[in-house]
Amino acid sequence: QVRLEESGGGLVQAGDSLRLSCFCSGSAFGRFSMGWFRQAPGAAREIVASISWDDSTTEYSPSVRGRFTISRDNAKNTVYLQMNSLKPEDTAVYYCAASTVQQIATIQVVGSWGQGTRVTVSS
């Protein structure tokens, strides 16, 4: 397991942008595939985006594809989520996740979670 710490959440208006960051402690960051999940009030936690350990592939949920971009900097042990054209329905707590599988596709393969960062998008 690794320790993950998110930052960058906040209150924005519809159409604005935010960039979330997730710092991973330890020296094995490059061995983990990473992902971002979100959980809105009263809803289940859902995957938003994922990136493979070697940065070769990225995947997005249909609701954010074309607006969000996941990236990683293995030299900084950090994964990012650039969120553009934010909508009120993007309001949620966003969680960083790490896994030893090639690409995170489901919640079941996540081995480590961050504490979450809240994103609120007003209309």
Side-chain angles (χ1 to χ4, degrees):
Q1 287 202 348
V2 295
R3 181 176 177 180
L4 306 174
E5 183 173 355
E6 303 97 335
S7 61
L11 172 63
V12 297
Q13 293 186 331
D16 286 351
S17 298
L18 273 178
R19 188 176 80 157
L20 305 183
S21 300
C22 173
F23 175 74
C24 175
S25 63
S27 60
F29 178 71
R31 302 178 187 176
F32 293 98
S33 61
M34 302 297 296
W36 287 95
F37 288 72
R38 67 186 181 187
Q39 188 166 18
R45 192 171 297 190
E46 62 176 0
I47 190 166
V48 173
S50 65
I51 187 166
S52 59
W53 64 271
D54 61 356
D55 202 6
S56 63
T57 59
T58 57
E59 298 287 346
Y60 298 92
S61 71
S63 62
V64 306
R65 189 175 294 121
R67 299 188 297 122
F68 291 11
T69 302
I70 188 171
S71 62
R72 65 189 297 161
D73 185 337
N74 285 356
K76 296 182 178 179
N77 281 21
T78 301
V79 62
Y80 304 97
L81 185 67
Q82 177 66 42
M83 306 186 294
N84 298 331
S85 302
L86 282 161
K87 304 176 181 180
E89 51 263 44
D90 295 318
T91 294
V93 177
Y94 284 71
Y95 296 91
C96 179
S99 176
T100 56
V101 300
Q102 170 69 16
Q103 187 96 32
I104 297 174
T106 65
I107 198 170
Q108 287 78 12
V109 304
V110 174
S112 299
W113 293 98
Q115 82 287 352
T117 185
R118 185 174 301 275
V119 173
T120 304
V121 184
S122 64
S123 57

